[in-house]
Amino acid sequence: MMEHGERVIIEGVEFKAALTIRSDIGLLALHGAKEGGTAELVHEVAARTGATALVFTQPFGSPVHIPSHRMSEAPCEALREFLSHVSLTVSLHGHLRPEAPRSIFLGGANREAARVLGRPLALLVPAFDTVTDLELIPNGLRGLNPHNPVNLTRAGGVQVELPLAARTSRPERVQGAPETPPRAVADALATGVGKLTAERLG
């Protein structure tokens, strides 16, 4: 296992990128400071499954959301190393769509991997609606931009968009405190990543 930390400026915003190299399945949180719970889920699921993990956080100021496809243009050695090492990416994001507060959307270019990852989510977290049909995923959450890091690894990947209730167990966020994602969601993601590893879809 190798670990690498880096501070990088993206569009005038300072980020901390934390990379842990393990297997060729990669877990990614591009907006770990803005989309609460995604960083914590990446760290936990990666540790449980032996996956590589890359988490971006913002150590200073109010978190800013920079679109994923623009993050890939940053001069970030950690991201370049992640993309060269990993064959299949699972990128965790958070959404706040008021019309879909219980929906987990699985986008990204690798549709077979999305279906494999979606099965344990549907089974183990039945309180949420797991959506893998691209036609039913809002355009802005489909994760299909070819410059999005989730699609830049050899086998592409899966963009997992989690509603607030699927990524934090606290109704109100305490600034600077780590989130506590629901146990069932962490378990389902770990099971799904394990299946992706076993089936070698990457």
Side-chain angles (χ1 to χ4, degrees):
M1 181 179 73
M2 294 190 301
E3 296 184 346
H4 172 64
E6 180 181 358
R7 291 190 182 274
V8 58
I9 304 298
I10 305 175
E11 298 186 8
V13 179
E14 182 174 344
F15 286 83
K16 178 182 178 182
L19 173 65
T20 303
I21 294 287
R22 298 187 184 94
S23 77
D24 65 343
I25 301 296
L27 286 161
L28 179 62
L30 290 170
H31 307 120
K34 182 70 173 177
E35 297 169 351
T38 57
E40 291 83 356
L41 280 167
V42 164
H43 285 307
E44 177 177 348
V45 173
R48 289 171 60 177
T49 61
T52 289
L54 177 57
V55 171
F56 285 84
T57 54
Q58 295 174 42
F60 305 109
S62 298
V64 175
H65 183 277
I66 295 176
S68 299
H69 67 277
R70 301 212 306 260
M71 299 275 291
S72 67
E73 301 170 1
C76 179
E77 181 59 33
L79 180 58
R80 286 195 293 269
E81 189 174 351
F82 176 91
L83 294 174
S84 66
H85 176 79
V86 167
S87 61
L88 175 70
T89 300
V90 176
S91 186
L92 301 188
H93 296 258
H95 77 82
L96 294 171
R97 297 292 173 116
E99 73 280 9
R102 309 296 295 182
S103 294
I104 298 175
F105 298 113
L106 277 70
N110 192 319
R111 302 316 303 151
E112 178 57 25
R115 287 185 284 272
V116 170
L117 190 62
R119 291 181 197 119
L121 282 166
L123 180 65
L124 297 176
V125 284
F128 295 92
D129 180 23
T130 298
V131 182
T132 59
D133 185 342
L134 281 176
E135 294 300 316
L136 301 179
I137 299 176
N139 283 331
L141 303 181
R142 291 180 181 177
L144 296 178
N145 190 305
H147 300 293
N148 186 329
V150 74
N151 299 318
L152 293 178
T153 44
R154 295 185 293 280
V158 185
Q159 180 157 307
V160 183
E161 292 278 357
L162 298 160
L164 187 62
R167 49 193 169 90
T168 179
S169 299
R170 293 200 303 262
E172 295 183 4
R173 184 174 186 181
V174 178
Q175 186 67 31
E179 297 286 358
T180 305
R183 175 56 39 201
V185 174
D187 289 345
L189 286 170
T191 298
V193 171
K195 290 183 179 296
L196 290 174
T197 301
E199 297 189 20
R200 305 309 302 165
L201 292 175

